[in-house]
Every structure is written in structure tokens, then in C-alpha cells.
Amino acid sequence: MKILLVQPPHWSPDGHANFDAIEQLVTARSGDVLLLPELAGADLPRAEYLARVRDLAKATGMAVVGGSHYDGPVNRGAVFDAGGELLAEYDKVHPYDVERRSGVVPGLPSAGFELHGRRMHVLLCADLWYSASLAGRDGLDAVLVPAFSITRWDGPAPARELWQHMTVARAYEFMTYVAVSDWHHETTYHGHPCAGVAGVANPCPRTRAGFFTGTGDDPVSAHDLDFDRLDAFRRDRADRGFR
């Protein structure tokens, strides 16, 4: 399965402007899943946000994990398949920092969704930092994380390193791929800089350098998720009593 991570160079408080820019970035790109960053929809009304995600899925022929938008006081997103069918909706359970101070409230945990026979689960940004978000969800094939990684560090490097460690830990602990889509590190949100932490954590790489693959400054990067290898990794761990 091929997943495309979208890392737009700028965030706009106009959700339509963000979706317009994303559409241009992914033109002529192909894959199975398109993962957008958090708040791609900004403050779009729910119906308009859903329409943009649905239209993007149908136009690209890929399932689209639509980042998120503010649906009233909740940070919320949706997944549509390539035919425009709604597969899942998800909320941010742990609003972070500036969100909390601006009145954003916790949403409800989501149930995840299935795509091509594989189990997927979406965690919005800071939700990945709580292992309880994945507890009891055995057998997930991929955890998909739309992020807007605002940081208080002077530069992006410390936050990137923390995110890389966190995604690899989650991937290995829960025996699943973890894919993160984020904004470019020069993006800001209410004056807070973004770290640009997009990439994929692989629990069973062929070399030690493959535990985390970043995207650099590439606005659209493609990553192959080898589920046959993941299944073999799980069987091996079970055989060794490491569950």
C-alpha cells in the first residue's frame, strides 16, 4: 500500500485556500492513501469541509484522511474512500496548548476504519503522545497522524527528534506503521512555529536506518507500507513470546 504525505509550505486560516493548494500539490500523483495535515480545513463549516475532502478523494482516486477542521469547539476530521464514501470520522481527544486556551474541547475517541482489508486508525497530532489512545486496539496495520507540530523551541530540530522517537516507539510497541503528515517548518499558527515532523515510522525495517523515514522539504512524499513484512514481523514476535 502506498501512502502519500502532504506537507504544504504555508497554512492559511482560510480552509478553502488550503485545499486549493493541496489539490495543486497532488495533481498527477497516485497512491492508495492521501494523508493531510491537521487543520487543513481551518474553520470551514462542517458541510464545506466534508465536501472538500470528498471531492479530493474522488478527484485523486485515493482514500483521503482529511486532516481536520474546527467543528464548533471540537477539532475533527473525516476519511473518504476513492469513490467518495465516508469511511470514518475522528476527533482530537487531547487539545494542546493554544487550542485549550482558545476554548477547544476534547472530542471522543474514534473507531478507526478498514481499507483494502487493512485496519487503520487516525490520531490527531498530540493524541499520539498518549499510548492509551492505542491501548486495546491490537492488530492495527497503520496509525495515521495529521499534525500541526507547533513548538516552543528556537528551531525545528528538537521537536523533530522527539517526534521521531515517539513515532518509532509507538510503531514498535504496537507493531504497526505510523505515518505523520505535517506543515512545513516555516509555517506558523497564532505566532507559534511548526517543526515539520512529517514521516513514516516502520517497526520492521530492513536496516536500522529505516526505523523512521522523513520527508525533508518535499511537499508530497510517497511511502510504501509492506504489510506482508509487517505480518511476518508480528508472527516472529509472537513466536518469541514478545507480545
Short mmCIF file of all heavy atoms in Angstrom, two decimals, residues 142-188:
data_model
loop_
_atom_site.label_atom_id
_atom_site.label_comp_id
_atom_site.label_asym_id
_atom_site.label_seq_id
_atom_site.Cartn_x
_atom_site.Cartn_y
_atom_site.Cartn_z
N ALA A 142 -1.89 0.38 10.41
CA ALA A 142 -1.28 1.71 10.26
C ALA A 142 -2.01 2.70 11.15
O ALA A 142 -3.24 2.68 11.25
CB ALA A 142 -1.32 2.19 8.81
N VAL A 143 -1.22 3.55 11.80
CA VAL A 143 -1.75 4.68 12.55
C VAL A 143 -1.41 5.94 11.75
O VAL A 143 -0.25 6.18 11.43
CB VAL A 143 -1.14 4.76 13.96
CG1 VAL A 143 -1.63 6.00 14.70
CG2 VAL A 143 -1.49 3.50 14.76
N LEU A 144 -2.43 6.70 11.41
CA LEU A 144 -2.29 7.86 10.54
C LEU A 144 -2.47 9.12 11.37
O LEU A 144 -3.50 9.28 12.04
CB LEU A 144 -3.31 7.79 9.41
CG LEU A 144 -3.35 6.45 8.66
CD1 LEU A 144 -4.45 6.45 7.60
CD2 LEU A 144 -1.99 6.14 8.02
N VAL A 145 -1.49 10.01 11.32
CA VAL A 145 -1.46 11.16 12.24
C VAL A 145 -1.39 12.48 11.47
O VAL A 145 -0.31 12.87 11.00
CB VAL A 145 -0.25 11.06 13.19
CG1 VAL A 145 -0.29 12.18 14.22
CG2 VAL A 145 -0.20 9.69 13.86
N PRO A 146 -2.51 13.17 11.33
CA PRO A 146 -2.46 14.55 10.84
C PRO A 146 -1.94 15.44 11.96
O PRO A 146 -2.46 15.44 13.07
CB PRO A 146 -3.92 14.88 10.51
CG PRO A 146 -4.65 13.55 10.52
CD PRO A 146 -3.90 12.72 11.51
N ALA A 147 -0.88 16.22 11.69
CA ALA A 147 -0.26 17.01 12.74
C ALA A 147 -0.09 18.47 12.33
O ALA A 147 -0.04 18.81 11.15
CB ALA A 147 1.12 16.42 13.10
N PHE A 148 0.00 19.31 13.36
CA PHE A 148 0.43 20.70 13.21
C PHE A 148 1.35 20.93 14.40
O PHE A 148 0.94 21.38 15.47
CB PHE A 148 -0.77 21.66 13.25
CG PHE A 148 -0.50 23.00 12.62
CD1 PHE A 148 -1.52 23.69 11.97
CD2 PHE A 148 0.75 23.59 12.65
CE1 PHE A 148 -1.30 24.92 11.37
CE2 PHE A 148 1.00 24.82 12.06
CZ PHE A 148 -0.04 25.49 11.42
N SER A 149 2.61 20.60 14.20
CA SER A 149 3.55 20.41 15.31
C SER A 149 4.15 21.72 15.80
O SER A 149 5.34 21.98 15.67
CB SER A 149 4.68 19.47 14.88
OG SER A 149 5.39 20.03 13.78
N ILE A 150 3.32 22.57 16.37
CA ILE A 150 3.84 23.83 16.89
C ILE A 150 4.82 23.53 18.04
O ILE A 150 4.65 22.58 18.79
CB ILE A 150 2.71 24.76 17.37
CG1 ILE A 150 1.84 24.11 18.45
CG2 ILE A 150 1.84 25.16 16.19
CD1 ILE A 150 0.82 25.05 19.04
N THR A 151 5.85 24.35 18.12
CA THR A 151 6.91 24.09 19.08
C THR A 151 7.35 25.38 19.76
O THR A 151 7.26 26.47 19.19
CB THR A 151 8.13 23.44 18.40
OG1 THR A 151 9.17 23.25 19.36
CG2 THR A 151 8.66 24.30 17.26
N ARG A 152 7.86 25.25 20.99
CA ARG A 152 8.40 26.39 21.72
C ARG A 152 9.92 26.47 21.63
O ARG A 152 10.53 27.38 22.19
CB ARG A 152 7.96 26.33 23.20
CG ARG A 152 6.46 26.47 23.38
CD ARG A 152 6.08 26.51 24.85
NE ARG A 152 6.36 25.24 25.50
CZ ARG A 152 6.14 25.00 26.80
NH1 ARG A 152 5.66 25.97 27.57
NH2 ARG A 152 6.42 23.82 27.31
N TRP A 153 10.54 25.50 20.94
CA TRP A 153 11.99 25.54 20.76
C TRP A 153 12.35 26.64 19.76
O TRP A 153 11.52 27.09 18.97
CB TRP A 153 12.48 24.20 20.24
CG TRP A 153 12.35 23.07 21.23
CD1 TRP A 153 11.29 22.23 21.37
CD2 TRP A 153 13.31 22.68 22.22
NE1 TRP A 153 11.52 21.33 22.38
CE2 TRP A 153 12.75 21.58 22.92
CE3 TRP A 153 14.58 23.14 22.58
CZ2 TRP A 153 13.42 20.93 23.94
CZ3 TRP A 153 15.25 22.49 23.61
CH2 TRP A 153 14.67 21.40 24.28
N ASP A 154 13.62 27.04 19.78
CA ASP A 154 14.08 28.09 18.87
C ASP A 154 14.07 27.64 17.41
O ASP A 154 13.93 28.44 16.50
CB ASP A 154 15.50 28.54 19.25
CG ASP A 154 15.53 29.27 20.58
OD1 ASP A 154 14.49 29.80 20.98
OD2 ASP A 154 16.60 29.30 21.22
N GLY A 155 14.26 26.34 17.19
CA GLY A 155 14.27 25.79 15.84
C GLY A 155 13.52 24.48 15.80
O GLY A 155 13.08 23.95 16.83
N PRO A 156 13.36 23.89 14.61
CA PRO A 156 12.57 22.68 14.47
C PRO A 156 13.25 21.40 14.93
O PRO A 156 12.58 20.41 15.19
CB PRO A 156 12.27 22.62 12.98
CG PRO A 156 13.44 23.31 12.34
CD PRO A 156 13.81 24.40 13.30
N ALA A 157 14.59 21.40 15.04
CA ALA A 157 15.31 20.14 15.25
C ALA A 157 14.92 19.39 16.52
O ALA A 157 14.69 18.17 16.48
CB ALA A 157 16.82 20.40 15.24
N PRO A 158 14.81 20.03 17.71
CA PRO A 158 14.48 19.26 18.91
C PRO A 158 13.10 18.59 18.83
O PRO A 158 12.96 17.42 19.20
CB PRO A 158 14.51 20.32 20.03
CG PRO A 158 15.42 21.39 19.51
CD PRO A 158 15.15 21.43 18.04
N ALA A 159 12.10 19.32 18.34
CA ALA A 159 10.76 18.74 18.24
C ALA A 159 10.74 17.61 17.21
O ALA A 159 10.07 16.59 17.42
CB ALA A 159 9.75 19.82 17.86
N ARG A 160 11.47 17.77 16.12
CA ARG A 160 11.53 16.70 15.12
C ARG A 160 12.12 15.43 15.74
O ARG A 160 11.61 14.33 15.52
CB ARG A 160 12.39 17.13 13.94
CG ARG A 160 11.73 18.09 12.99
CD ARG A 160 12.66 18.39 11.83
NE ARG A 160 12.11 19.38 10.93
CZ ARG A 160 12.78 19.90 9.90
NH1 ARG A 160 14.02 19.50 9.68
NH2 ARG A 160 12.23 20.80 9.13
N GLU A 161 13.19 15.60 16.51
CA GLU A 161 13.81 14.43 17.13
C GLU A 161 12.87 13.75 18.11
O GLU A 161 12.77 12.52 18.14
CB GLU A 161 15.10 14.85 17.84
CG GLU A 161 15.91 13.67 18.36
CD GLU A 161 17.27 14.08 18.86
OE1 GLU A 161 17.69 15.22 18.58
OE2 GLU A 161 17.92 13.25 19.52
N LEU A 162 12.15 14.54 18.90
CA LEU A 162 11.19 13.96 19.84
C LEU A 162 10.09 13.20 19.10
O LEU A 162 9.70 12.09 19.49
CB LEU A 162 10.58 15.06 20.71
CG LEU A 162 11.48 15.63 21.80
CD1 LEU A 162 10.86 16.89 22.40
CD2 LEU A 162 11.72 14.59 22.89
N TRP A 163 9.56 13.80 18.03
CA TRP A 163 8.51 13.15 17.26
C TRP A 163 9.02 11.86 16.62
O TRP A 163 8.31 10.85 16.57
CB TRP A 163 7.98 14.09 16.18
CG TRP A 163 6.84 14.94 16.64
CD1 TRP A 163 6.91 16.16 17.27
CD2 TRP A 163 5.44 14.65 16.50
NE1 TRP A 163 5.65 16.62 17.53
CE2 TRP A 163 4.73 15.73 17.07
CE3 TRP A 163 4.74 13.59 15.95
CZ2 TRP A 163 3.34 15.77 17.10
CZ3 TRP A 163 3.34 13.63 15.97
CH2 TRP A 163 2.66 14.71 16.54
N GLN A 164 10.24 11.88 16.12
CA GLN A 164 10.78 10.66 15.52
C GLN A 164 10.90 9.55 16.55
O GLN A 164 10.51 8.41 16.28
CB GLN A 164 12.15 10.97 14.89
CG GLN A 164 12.05 11.81 13.64
CD GLN A 164 13.41 12.24 13.11
OE1 GLN A 164 14.44 11.72 13.53
NE2 GLN A 164 13.43 13.20 12.21
N HIS A 165 11.41 9.87 17.73
CA HIS A 165 11.49 8.87 18.79
C HIS A 165 10.10 8.36 19.16
O HIS A 165 9.90 7.16 19.38
CB HIS A 165 12.18 9.45 20.02
CG HIS A 165 13.66 9.60 19.88
ND1 HIS A 165 14.49 8.53 19.61
CD2 HIS A 165 14.47 10.68 19.99
CE1 HIS A 165 15.74 8.95 19.55
NE2 HIS A 165 15.75 10.25 19.77
N MET A 166 9.14 9.27 19.26
CA MET A 166 7.78 8.88 19.66
C MET A 166 7.14 7.97 18.61
O MET A 166 6.54 6.94 18.95
CB MET A 166 6.92 10.12 19.87
CG MET A 166 5.49 9.82 20.30
SD MET A 166 5.42 8.92 21.86
CE MET A 166 6.01 10.20 22.96
N THR A 167 7.26 8.32 17.34
CA THR A 167 6.62 7.50 16.31
C THR A 167 7.26 6.11 16.24
O THR A 167 6.55 5.11 16.06
CB THR A 167 6.69 8.18 14.94
OG1 THR A 167 8.04 8.48 14.60
CG2 THR A 167 5.87 9.45 14.91
N VAL A 168 8.58 6.04 16.37
CA VAL A 168 9.24 4.74 16.34
C VAL A 168 8.82 3.90 17.54
O VAL A 168 8.56 2.70 17.43
CB VAL A 168 10.78 4.90 16.29
CG1 VAL A 168 11.47 3.56 16.48
CG2 VAL A 168 11.19 5.53 14.96
N ALA A 169 8.73 4.53 18.72
CA ALA A 169 8.30 3.80 19.91
C ALA A 169 6.89 3.25 19.75
O ALA A 169 6.61 2.09 20.09
CB ALA A 169 8.39 4.70 21.14
N ARG A 170 5.99 4.09 19.24
CA ARG A 170 4.61 3.63 19.04
C ARG A 170 4.57 2.51 18.00
O ARG A 170 3.83 1.53 18.15
CB ARG A 170 3.73 4.80 18.59
CG ARG A 170 3.51 5.87 19.65
CD ARG A 170 2.55 5.41 20.72
NE ARG A 170 2.41 6.45 21.72
CZ ARG A 170 3.09 6.53 22.85
NH1 ARG A 170 4.00 5.59 23.14
NH2 ARG A 170 2.88 7.51 23.70
N ALA A 171 5.32 2.66 16.92
CA ALA A 171 5.32 1.66 15.86
C ALA A 171 5.79 0.32 16.39
O ALA A 171 5.18 -0.73 16.10
CB ALA A 171 6.20 2.12 14.69
N TYR A 172 6.87 0.32 17.16
CA TYR A 172 7.42 -0.94 17.65
C TYR A 172 6.54 -1.54 18.74
O TYR A 172 6.31 -2.75 18.77
CB TYR A 172 8.84 -0.74 18.16
CG TYR A 172 9.60 -2.03 18.26
CD1 TYR A 172 10.17 -2.61 17.13
CD2 TYR A 172 9.74 -2.70 19.48
CE1 TYR A 172 10.86 -3.81 17.20
CE2 TYR A 172 10.43 -3.91 19.56
CZ TYR A 172 10.99 -4.45 18.42
OH TYR A 172 11.65 -5.65 18.51
N GLU A 173 6.05 -0.70 19.64
CA GLU A 173 5.22 -1.20 20.74
C GLU A 173 3.94 -1.84 20.22
O GLU A 173 3.53 -2.91 20.68
CB GLU A 173 4.87 -0.06 21.69
CG GLU A 173 3.96 -0.47 22.85
CD GLU A 173 3.59 0.69 23.75
OE1 GLU A 173 3.95 1.85 23.43
OE2 GLU A 173 2.93 0.44 24.78
N PHE A 174 3.30 -1.19 19.26
CA PHE A 174 2.00 -1.67 18.77
C PHE A 174 2.11 -2.42 17.45
O PHE A 174 1.09 -2.78 16.87
CB PHE A 174 1.03 -0.49 18.65
CG PHE A 174 0.65 0.10 19.98
CD1 PHE A 174 1.28 1.23 20.46
CD2 PHE A 174 -0.31 -0.51 20.77
CE1 PHE A 174 0.96 1.77 21.70
CE2 PHE A 174 -0.65 0.02 22.00
CZ PHE A 174 -0.02 1.15 22.47
N MET A 175 3.34 -2.66 16.98
CA MET A 175 3.58 -3.45 15.77
C MET A 175 2.74 -2.94 14.59
O MET A 175 1.97 -3.66 13.98
CB MET A 175 3.30 -4.94 16.04
CG MET A 175 4.23 -5.56 17.03
SD MET A 175 3.89 -7.33 17.34
CE MET A 175 2.43 -7.21 18.38
N THR A 176 2.94 -1.68 14.28
CA THR A 176 2.17 -1.03 13.24
C THR A 176 3.00 0.07 12.60
O THR A 176 3.96 0.57 13.20
CB THR A 176 0.87 -0.43 13.81
OG1 THR A 176 0.09 0.14 12.77
CG2 THR A 176 1.17 0.65 14.84
N TYR A 177 2.65 0.43 11.37
CA TYR A 177 3.25 1.62 10.77
C TYR A 177 2.63 2.87 11.40
O TYR A 177 1.43 2.87 11.74
CB TYR A 177 3.00 1.64 9.26
CG TYR A 177 3.79 0.62 8.49
CD1 TYR A 177 3.19 -0.57 8.07
CD2 TYR A 177 5.12 0.83 8.18
CE1 TYR A 177 3.92 -1.52 7.36
CE2 TYR A 177 5.86 -0.10 7.47
CZ TYR A 177 5.24 -1.28 7.07
OH TYR A 177 5.97 -2.21 6.37
N VAL A 178 3.42 3.91 11.53
CA VAL A 178 2.92 5.21 12.00
C VAL A 178 3.33 6.26 10.98
O VAL A 178 4.53 6.48 10.76
CB VAL A 178 3.45 5.57 13.39
CG1 VAL A 178 2.92 6.95 13.82
CG2 VAL A 178 3.06 4.53 14.42
N ALA A 179 2.35 6.89 10.35
CA ALA A 179 2.61 7.90 9.34
C ALA A 179 2.12 9.26 9.83
O ALA A 179 0.99 9.37 10.32
CB ALA A 179 1.91 7.54 8.03
N VAL A 180 2.97 10.27 9.71
CA VAL A 180 2.65 11.61 10.19
C VAL A 180 2.72 12.60 9.02
O VAL A 180 3.73 12.66 8.31
CB VAL A 180 3.63 12.07 11.28
CG1 VAL A 180 3.25 13.46 11.80
CG2 VAL A 180 3.67 11.06 12.43
N SER A 181 1.65 13.36 8.84
CA SER A 181 1.66 14.45 7.88
C SER A 181 1.66 15.76 8.67
O SER A 181 1.01 15.87 9.72
CB SER A 181 0.43 14.38 6.98
OG SER A 181 0.48 15.37 5.98
N ASP A 182 2.39 16.75 8.21
CA ASP A 182 2.57 17.99 8.96
C ASP A 182 2.76 19.14 7.98
O ASP A 182 2.92 18.93 6.77
CB ASP A 182 3.81 17.85 9.87
CG ASP A 182 3.91 18.92 10.94
OD1 ASP A 182 2.92 19.65 11.17
OD2 ASP A 182 4.98 19.02 11.57
N TRP A 183 2.75 20.35 8.50
CA TRP A 183 3.04 21.52 7.70
C TRP A 183 4.55 21.75 7.63
O TRP A 183 5.30 21.24 8.46
CB TRP A 183 2.34 22.75 8.28
CG TRP A 183 0.86 22.59 8.31
CD1 TRP A 183 0.12 22.04 9.32
CD2 TRP A 183 -0.06 22.93 7.27
NE1 TRP A 183 -1.22 22.02 8.97
CE2 TRP A 183 -1.36 22.56 7.73
CE3 TRP A 183 0.07 23.51 6.02
CZ2 TRP A 183 -2.50 22.77 6.96
CZ3 TRP A 183 -1.07 23.71 5.26
CH2 TRP A 183 -2.33 23.34 5.72
N HIS A 184 4.99 22.52 6.66
CA HIS A 184 6.40 22.86 6.54
C HIS A 184 6.86 23.63 7.78
O HIS A 184 6.07 24.36 8.40
CB HIS A 184 6.62 23.70 5.29
CG HIS A 184 8.05 23.94 4.95
ND1 HIS A 184 8.75 25.01 5.45
CD2 HIS A 184 8.91 23.24 4.17
CE1 HIS A 184 9.99 24.97 4.99
NE2 HIS A 184 10.11 23.91 4.21
N HIS A 185 8.13 23.49 8.13
CA HIS A 185 8.60 24.06 9.40
C HIS A 185 8.60 25.59 9.41
O HIS A 185 8.72 26.19 10.48
CB HIS A 185 10.00 23.53 9.73
CG HIS A 185 11.09 24.05 8.86
ND1 HIS A 185 11.71 25.25 9.09
CD2 HIS A 185 11.69 23.53 7.76
CE1 HIS A 185 12.64 25.45 8.18
NE2 HIS A 185 12.65 24.42 7.35
N GLU A 186 8.46 26.23 8.27
CA GLU A 186 8.38 27.69 8.27
C GLU A 186 6.96 28.21 8.48
O GLU A 186 6.73 29.42 8.57
CB GLU A 186 8.95 28.24 6.96
CG GLU A 186 10.45 28.01 6.81
CD GLU A 186 11.02 28.61 5.54
OE1 GLU A 186 10.21 29.11 4.73
OE2 GLU A 186 12.24 28.58 5.37
N THR A 187 5.99 27.29 8.58
CA THR A 187 4.61 27.67 8.84
C THR A 187 4.46 28.07 10.30
O THR A 187 5.13 27.56 11.19
CB THR A 187 3.69 26.48 8.54
OG1 THR A 187 3.81 26.11 7.17
CG2 THR A 187 2.23 26.81 8.82
N THR A 188 3.55 29.00 10.56
CA THR A 188 3.23 29.39 11.94
C THR A 188 1.74 29.29 12.18
O THR A 188 0.93 29.35 11.25
CB THR A 188 3.69 30.83 12.25
OG1 THR A 188 3.00 31.74 11.37
CG2 THR A 188 5.19 30.98 12.08
#
